[in-house]
Amino acid sequence: MKKKVLFLANHFITLYSLRKELIQKLVEEGHEVYLSLPEDENSYFENIGCHIIKTKIDRRGVNPLKDMKLIHFYRRMIPKVNPDIIFSYTIKPNIYGTLISNKKYKQVCNITGTGATFMKDNYVAKICKFLYRRSVKNCYKVFFQNTGDRDFFIKHHFVNNNYDMLPGSGCNVEEYSYKDMNEDDTIRFIFIARVMKLKGIDEYLEAAKIVKQKHENTEFVIAGWNEEEEYIRIIEEYQKKGYVNYIGFRKDISNWIEKCDCTILSSHGGEGVPNVLLESAATGRVCIGSKINGTMDVIENGVTGYLFETGDTNSLVEKIETFLSLSKEEKIAMGKKGREKIVREFDRKIVIDKYCEEVRNA
């Protein structure tokens, strides 16, 4: 039976990178799919038959005036579309969408990670907690990507019994297929994230400096936006000294994952299930990550990669040294076990099936 499905999102690229297979399947099944997201030059979703609703949304700002405009926009737009079901992602679409849908429409919120919001006990965190209790608690269903976020929401009474679990956003294991490790003598590590303190860039930089001075045959790549003035200067300094290779934000990141032997995610927290780890492990690359929610779901310590103490450079260096001490055959075997885990537990088809079930039941 044909349904009207509305997606509330804050960016084109997140829908395209993580949910294009789901959206395409819904279109193929004959459903009317509406996407509420900021204006973007890419017409991919329009070309496959989606209805695009251009929406002004400040992704990271906390400007009350802009947020009130977004709420007012949702108030007019949602009844106009009159969807059978709403899928939302990230904090503002989740909160403001459910404030408007308010049980009149079935809304399924996806907690893609708490980000930095609750890592500090400040005014913004208190406001967000209040809004979560007023909104998401009353929505039709909440999908969590890791047990840590789920337990946090239950503890603070942000949800009732209206929740379920997903294996993150899942990984397209066909797009990210297994690739043999490189044959050259250089061992390459890659950090894929925005260059910022929360993502653990400081630990990665210092670890690179320490390891590079002991092992000349190593390379430490950094891929991601670098927009903070302080880190622009620091990265330039480390690059000049040969400690790191900064390549900026890359649309061809899969090629860089293939070029490297190991992916490092030194984040301090706030992740859902990190996609860079899913994609790297699916490619057959060993992963090293901090002991945070989401990362601990992906990395099986000592089997598919290594976990280190969050925020501890020495602990990270120790794990890098352990990886370097492995033979080529041991690195390959560990990478293959990582691939097997992703295919078994994190295939994106699992996520798509869950969403399609919600559409059928709407």
Side-chain angles (χ1 to χ4, degrees), residues 62-298:
V62 288
N63 184 316
L65 182 59
K66 288 183 179 179
D67 285 359
M68 285 303 297
K69 287 181 179 178
L70 178 61
I71 293 171
H72 182 64
F73 178 82
Y74 282 163
R75 184 177 286 120
R76 288 184 291 110
M77 180 269 291
I78 291 174
K80 187 176 179 180
V81 174
N82 193 26
D84 294 291
I85 192 164
I86 301 170
F87 295 133
S88 60
Y89 307 88
T90 68
I91 186 167
K92 291 185 181 182
N94 283 341
I95 288 177
Y96 299 147
T98 49
L99 283 174
I100 301 306
S101 60
N102 195 27
K103 293 185 178 179
K104 295 176 185 175
Y105 303 93
K106 284 187 173 181
Q107 180 161 340
V108 179
C109 298
N110 189 318
I111 306 302
T112 56
T114 56
T117 307
F118 300 123
M119 296 185 74
K120 295 180 181 178
D121 186 20
N122 54 22
Y123 177 74
V124 172
K126 288 175 181 176
I127 291 293
C128 286
K129 286 179 181 179
F130 171 77
L131 289 173
Y132 266 124
R133 289 193 191 98
R134 289 290 303 274
S135 58
V136 174
K137 187 174 183 177
N138 299 314
C139 77
Y140 172 67
K141 183 168 283 187
V142 182
F143 278 140
F144 290 103
Q145 297 195 359
N146 64 64
T147 55
D149 286 349
R150 179 200 64 192
D151 294 346
F152 180 86
F153 271 59
I154 292 172
K155 177 183 176 182
H156 289 86
H157 308 291
F158 296 163
V159 289
N160 292 310
N161 293 321
N162 58 333
Y163 62 85
D164 199 354
M165 297 298 299
L166 287 177
S169 298
C171 180
N172 187 327
V173 296
E174 294 172 2
E175 181 178 345
Y176 288 90
S177 58
Y178 179 83
K179 298 292 191 304
D180 291 332
M181 284 192 178
N182 300 298
E183 294 297 329
D184 60 11
D185 295 329
T186 302
I187 306 298
R188 295 182 180 84
F189 300 86
I190 188 166
F191 170 99
I192 307 169
R194 285 178 63 208
V195 177
M196 56 190 297
K197 190 175 187 67
L198 179 65
K199 295 296 184 180
I201 187 61
D202 295 312
E203 292 78 33
Y204 184 79
L205 288 170
E206 285 308 301
K209 177 180 176 180
I210 293 167
V211 174
K212 186 73 178 172
Q213 289 174 335
K214 292 174 64 178
H215 304 273
E216 291 184 3
N217 66 325
T218 58
E219 182 182 349
F220 289 83
V221 180
I222 299 173
W225 297 112
N226 185 11
E227 302 166 314
E228 296 184 17
E229 199 169 308
E230 175 189 1
Y231 284 115
I232 291 173
R233 177 182 56 77
I234 293 172
I235 296 295
E236 285 178 354
E237 179 185 333
Y238 273 67
Q239 182 133 354
K240 284 179 183 176
K241 292 180 178 179
Y243 298 141
V244 299
N245 175 20
Y246 176 63
I247 60 173
F249 174 79
R250 306 295 300 220
K251 291 184 178 180
D252 61 340
I253 196 62
S254 60
N255 294 333
W256 282 92
I257 291 173
E258 290 175 29
K259 291 177 183 177
C260 297
D261 302 274
C262 177
T263 295
I264 296 177
L265 183 64
S266 43
S267 173
H268 294 180
E271 310 286 343
V273 170
N275 294 293
V276 295
L277 296 183
L278 296 181
E279 292 161 3
S280 298
T283 309
R285 299 303 177 260
V286 176
C287 297
I288 297 175
S290 47
K291 293 181 180 178
I292 60 171
N293 294 332
T295 292
M296 292 188 291
D297 294 315
V298 180

